């Protein structure tokens, strides 16, 4: 199958897409050695540097691998999605199930490790969530996530903090849609205020059991609502 020449811009993206199509379409099966840079450059109508960058893109997607002195070989016919992409494609209920596992433990650790600065941050986040009750659903969700992020930050575990940060975009989208569809804020604009206040109080008082219990109940109630909408 001949390769069509690409248009001038953006060259790397177009070249990578042409090569990816050859791989995913079965023209170059797993284990196949790709033609050299000079050959690919001529077929694609681009320079060798563009081909080199395109191959790096494919390597980053897990499709090819360069072997020193041997060339570039196909190692998979389906690209490997990175973690943020997989989260965006996942059902929000699946993300929420994992969120419960992660964040309940984070709340327990936060109660054990929180500092005075953490408590100040938590109280400020709770105030921000209350203030956002007068705003639209998107702003309210942002304020809610900010409060939960403050709890995770108080756990003082950078891996937990980074993991929650990866969850945030998928949570924001799913929760905003859920609020819109369910209409729960029509009757209670500051829905969940009592449980969030109890969570902040438990962390501030160093009560790990209460913090984890309150948060688990709050997240499981939200998950049940997500499943109904």
């Amino acid at each position: 199958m001949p390769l069509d020449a690409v248009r001038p811009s953006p060259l790397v993206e177009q070249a990578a897409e042409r090569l990816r199509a050859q791989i995913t379409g079965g023209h170059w099966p797993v284990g196949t050695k790709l033609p050299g840079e000079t050959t690919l450059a001529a077929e694609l109508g681009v320079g060798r540097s563009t081909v080199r960058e395109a191959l790096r893109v494919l390597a980053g997607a897990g499709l090819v691998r360069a072997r020193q002195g041997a060339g570039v070989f196909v190692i998979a016919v389906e690209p490997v999605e990175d973690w943020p992409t997989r989260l965006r494609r996942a059902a929000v209920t699946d993300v929420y199930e994992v969120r419960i596992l992660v964040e309940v433990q984070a709340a327990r650790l936060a109660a054990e490790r929180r500092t005075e600065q953490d408590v100040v941050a938590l109280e400020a986040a709770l105030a921000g969530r209350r203030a956002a009750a007068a705003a639209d659903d998107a702003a309210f969700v942002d304020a809610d996530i900010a409060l939960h992020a403050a709890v995770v930050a108080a756990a003082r575990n950078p891996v937990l903090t980074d993991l929650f940060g990866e969850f945030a975009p998928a949570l924001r989208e799913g929760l905003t849609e859920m609020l819109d569809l369910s209409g729960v804020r029509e009757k209670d604009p500051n829905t969940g205020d009592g449980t969030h206040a109890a969570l902040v109080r438990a962390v501030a008082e160093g009560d790990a059991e209460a913090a984890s219990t309150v948060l688990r109940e709050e997240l499981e109630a939200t998950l049940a609502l997500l499943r109904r909408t």
Side-chain angles (χ1 to χ4, degrees):
M1 180 189 303
L3 290 170
D4 296 331
V6 300
R7 296 181 298 276
S9 177
L11 292 178
V12 172
E13 289 84 352
Q14 290 184 52
E17 184 56 37
R18 294 288 193 279
L19 296 172
R20 183 185 291 110
Q22 296 290 90
I23 293 171
T24 59
H27 180 65
W28 291 322
V30 172
T32 301
K33 178 182 176 181
L34 298 187
E37 289 180 3
T38 301
T39 300
L40 291 175
E43 292 192 33
L44 292 167
V46 298
R48 290 180 60 187
S49 61
T50 298
V51 170
R52 195 173 302 119
E53 289 301 316
L55 290 174
R56 286 175 182 165
V57 171
L58 297 184
L63 294 174
V64 303
R65 178 179 299 157
R67 297 178 187 169
Q68 182 102 21
V72 178
F73 292 80
V74 177
I75 60 172
V77 295
E78 292 293 335
V80 177
E81 292 182 332
D82 59 19
W83 180 237
T85 300
R86 294 184 68 183
L87 283 175
R88 286 194 298 270
R89 289 167 57 89
V92 67
T93 50
D94 291 339
V95 176
Y96 229 82
E97 287 177 353
V98 179
R99 179 190 184 183
I100 293 172
L101 295 174
V102 170
E103 203 173 334
V104 168
Q105 177 62 15
R108 179 179 293 277
L109 292 175
E112 296 172 350
R113 300 174 178 176
R114 84 280 182 267
T115 65
E116 291 184 8
Q117 288 182 329
D118 292 326
V119 173
V120 170
L122 285 167
E123 291 174 345
L126 179 61
R129 189 180 188 277
R130 287 171 170 168
D136 61 18
D137 288 344
F140 184 74
V141 168
D142 283 341
D144 179 80
I145 290 175
L147 172 54
H148 286 269
V151 173
V152 175
R156 304 204 161 271
N157 182 315
V159 177
L160 282 174
T161 300
D162 289 346
L163 189 56
F164 185 80
E166 297 283 4
F167 285 157
L171 294 174
R172 181 176 293 109
E173 181 178 351
L175 290 174
T176 302
E177 181 178 3
M178 180 270 288
L179 289 177
D180 178 57
L181 293 175
S182 66
V184 294
R185 294 187 65 228
E186 293 176 6
K187 295 181 179 179
D188 183 8
N190 194 18
T191 181
D193 180 65
T195 55
H196 285 80
L199 171 62
V200 170
R201 183 167 57 252
V203 172
E205 293 175 353
D207 190 337
E209 191 62 34
S212 60
T213 298
V214 167
L215 185 54
R216 178 180 294 279
E217 291 175 353
E218 190 266 330
L219 293 179
E220 287 181 345
T222 303
L223 176 58
L225 186 56
L226 283 167
R227 285 174 171 155
R228 292 198 298 270
T229 55

